[in-house]
Amino acid sequence: MSERATKIPPAETEAQSDDHPTDGTQTDPPSEAESDAEAPAETTPEPVTNGAQSVVRALENAGVEYAFGVQGGAIMPVYDALYDSDIYHVTMAHEQGASHAADAYGIVSGEPGVCLATSGPGATNLVTGIADADMDSDPMLALTGQVPTEFVGNDAFQETDTTGVTTPVTKDNTFSSDPDLVGSDVSEAFALAREGRPGPTLVDLPKDVTKAETDCEPDAPKTPDTYEVQTHAESAIVEAAADRLESANRPVMLLGGGVIKGEASEVCREFATEHEIPVVTTMPGIGAFPEDHELSMEMAGMHGTGYANMAITHCDTMLAIGTRFDDRLTGGIDTFAPDAEIIHVDIDPAEVSKNIHADYPLIGDAATVVEQLADAVQASPQAKKWRAQCQQWKSDYSMAYDAPEDEPVQPEFVVEALDEATDDDTIVTTGVGQHQMWACQYWTYTEPRTWVSSHGLGTMGYGLPAAIGARLAADDDQTVVCIDGDGSFLMTMQGLSVAVRENLDITVAVLNNEYIGMVRQWQDAFFEGRHSASNYNWMPEFDKLAEAFGAAGFRIDDYDEVADTIEEAIAYDGPSVIDVHIDPQANVYPMVPAGGDNGQFALTEDQL
Amino acid sequence: MKRGLDGPTPEERPTPAGRRNKQGIRIDPEVEAKREPRRTVISALVEHEPGVLSDVSGLFSRRQFNIESLTVGPTEDEDENRARITVVVEEPDPGIDQIKKQLRKLVPVIAVRELEPDAMRRELALIKVNAERPDQVAAVADMYGAKTVDSSPESATFEVTGARQKIDAAIETFTQFGIREISRTGLTALARGTDDTAAASSTVSTADEANQQPNAQPQTDD
């Protein structure tokens, strides 16, 4: 039996709109008349009788529709409570996939994705995805089973100090020890994952606590009183920053992932176009500004475009929004935008002046602060010459590539062909490596929440499970494409079984060069071509493997197969995998060597 | 076969003249500010719940901030179950600023403040010395206002409280008798007068903080 979770999860009937999350009882579904009424049709839910039901009720109250996880001993009471819930549980093949799927669900929907695992190995398998969400500030709630309280600390079977292990990689975590409070702990963790700067939270659930009797209904999701978020920036600094922008001759806007998470894309677009300021994005900021716009300089950083890197290096004023100035963006700190005064907008005060000193620290919600700035800026900067310079750089350092017919397929061509074959709102997920960079560089992103990747942690194997989470969060008519590498795909490929079971319409294009390509590229550049452990010429045939899983498998070896195969794979209603045999020697350029000067990016290997 | 993209080579490109230092601050070639580390005391009011100390100490260790001492204990508002954490750190100003902000981010942390140089700072030390010359040992103890906690024919243990320098001095003087063991608590501190040390009501706006240069007065342990 395979149900089509993408389209209609069993929880949703036509009578229940998205605004009225279901209440957790199946005995008395609201009728059409009821849900059309003024007040939401709330049937009285069955009172909770134990801790686990309280946990699930907390999720239902928060409007959770999907949960990703794997069963196990210590989490069994929670799964037992889920059995009666309308929350659709997607059983993953591996807990790492559960955390990546929840992460991607959070990126695409904006609401925390939920993942579950049992104690010990279940919990530790979640850690990679939690750390990934932490680095990228993605909203996520992880629920882990724990051994019964009386065994905690005794090295019991499948015991791990989960809160201890996850403290450095969560926004907040809780060991829940009271059956009366366990539901509220989950509610609070859900609220914390979403509010302010988003991030992953975790609640550790001892089996005796979830099994224990309680009639306590969880509180509504609310952050604790000690958690304060400043939304508006100090007006004096806003005024000063506005003056600085007005007098700028070489202004640049740098949009980070926070722009997308803070729903500030629209207001940033208005601000940039009104004042004609060239826009550069970070990698997580991809989609915040349409890349086909004249003002767009696209992505900056290690593999950013040459023109973006020239723009951030030579600007005199940088309006940086929702970025933490990661080293992959800045290159060497000493050469990062050395002439620029920095106006830094961020909701997290700790990000301001952490890596790059902010001359104008604007702490607050991205959308709110940009509106404050928009009100304060009276005149556009006089930057006609600068804009012309930026356009000149765009033609000097254009992202053109050669694709001779008689050579193996170039990866850039495949990415462009995929982009062409799909709509603008197509969601792209990737693993990590060369393919990820080509997907950044050669796909034209125009909408926020369409780029789903592992940025800060750089987790290989992220792409396929992320595609599963993204598929469930996306609109039905949105296409989901996973651009993966052979090495990345091999790491979490077991997720294909999930995609097949749920009949998820995902197209995976594996850019197969039989190498850990990025490592091979660095070995060629910095390790005298000694390909230590980077040659993967033992790769399986991914198209046949896909078929073994029950998915559709395709293979591309030549240019003349590219367009047709892609069309066929995308048209296939269900998971499909294209094994694209690309030029094994293809490299990613431009490139700023680690810690290098962004303005000195290399265009060829000789320039490294 | 050509590999890579077209465009002017790095040597043909203009480069800006400016530079930034390690802390990401633009360097003015005229007055290049070098940021020396300084010792300071940071006080945090926290929810007294399991794991809060490990959250705080974990934060310091994984961000490689150098802790000189860290003390924790319950404070006023016993009903609310709160504790005060006092941390002594040695960092350049941007690092101290970052410590305060990172601490404030932890959910159980209610308020964070860097104490003024005139704040009251105290430490307690237990010093166990050889008691072969009891008269002289007692005289030294008296000099530092040390209380006798325990004595035996071979050893005497004293309790000294005070500023760090006083304890250092006491230990140095006791050394002549032969020190058997020392245990020190680390520093705890409160702001002077009616000034709040770090209280729920007096949370400093981090935006204000970010904009002002942290005070750089010299250390005056009292």
Side-chain angles (χ1 to χ4, degrees), chain B residues 5 10 15-17 19 49 76 84 91 99 108-109 117 122 129 143 147 151 155 163 165 171 186 199 202:
Chain B
L5 300 163
T15 20
R19 279 288 178 273
E49 59 186 35
E76 76 274 10
R84 190 176 298 284
E91 279 287 321
I99 288 170
V109 173
R122 287 293 182 274
V129 299
M143 218 159 78
K147 264 170 53 186
S151 72
S155 74
Q165 283 91 333
I171 290 171
S202 72

Side-chain angles (χ1 to χ4, degrees), chain A residues 226 336 348 352 407 603, chain B residues 1 5 13 20 101 105 107:
Chain A
T226 58
F336 180 76
D348 180 356
V352 176
E407 280 179 29
L603 295 162
Chain B
M1 186 175 69
L5 300 163
R13 294 174 210 153
R20 287 180 192 273
K101 292 177 187 170
K105 264 175 81 167
V107 174

Side-chain angles (χ1 to χ4, degrees), chain A residues 342-357:
Chain A
I342 310 272
I343 304 165
H344 191 177
V345 180
D346 207 293
I347 198 155
D348 180 356
E351 286 308 337
V352 176
S353 298
K354 186 182 80 179
N355 295 338
I356 295 292
H357 178 75

Side-chain angles (χ1 to χ4, degrees), chain A residues 396-415:
Chain A
D396 285 351
Y397 302 107
S398 63
M399 296 296 290
Y401 57 91
D402 291 327
E405 282 287 327
D406 55 344
E407 280 179 29
V409 176
Q410 295 301 312
E412 298 93 333
F413 184 87
V414 181
V415 173

